[in-house]
Amino acid sequence: VHLVEAGGGLVQAGGSRRVSCAASVNSLSINNMGWYRQPPGKERESGAVISRGGTIDYADSVKRRFTISRDNAKSTVYLRMNSLTPEAPAVYYCAAGATWPLSYWGRGTQVTVPS
């Protein structure tokens, strides 16, 4: 399973950005998909996850600001990020798997919100 993220870049403070992640397969291997972020020099942290059936869970830090969704027909998961605040560039990673913990990881896409 290969995961390819897209949509990162420079975003103005207070702005929005949608990142996407396309999987190379459409099977139970990607039953669960999610987004994680890693600021520089810090550990990777959970953002949001979604099951094939649409069950969603958000980390407290992104609740009410981020929205995760998926298109099962396209094997693609999205993360809509609103009200982005200035911070050091973070890499957003897509992950997928049949169960937990997720087994497959993308290479990440960087989102930068300059102050």
Side-chain angles (χ1 to χ4, degrees), residues 3-115:
L3 303 173
V4 180
E5 300 99 334
L10 199 65
V11 186
Q12 288 186 339
S16 299
R17 174 75 72 169
R18 190 180 79 160
V19 292
S20 64
C21 169
S24 60
V25 300
N26 191 352
S27 68
L28 292 178
S29 297
I30 57 168
N31 195 46
N32 300 308
M33 302 184 79
W35 286 97
Y36 298 75
R37 66 185 295 273
Q38 186 169 21
K42 298 185 178 180
E43 293 186 357
R44 193 175 298 177
E45 57 191 37
S46 178
V49 293
I50 184 170
S51 72
R52 179 178 293 274
T55 300
I56 292 172
D57 189 33
Y58 292 104
D60 289 341
S61 59
V62 304
K63 279 181 180 177
R64 293 178 292 277
R65 293 191 305 121
F66 290 10
T67 302
I68 190 170
S69 61
R70 67 186 286 172
D71 184 332
N72 291 329
K74 296 181 179 179
S75 304
T76 300
V77 63
Y78 305 94
L79 185 69
R80 175 75 177 183
M81 302 177 286
N82 296 323
S83 303
L84 288 167
T85 56
E87 57 185 356
V91 179
Y92 285 77
Y93 293 94
C94 172
T99 59
W100 308 99
L102 301 180
S103 305
Y104 307 103
W105 291 83
R107 299 183 67 176
T109 185
Q110 183 165 293
V111 176
T112 301
V113 187
S115 56

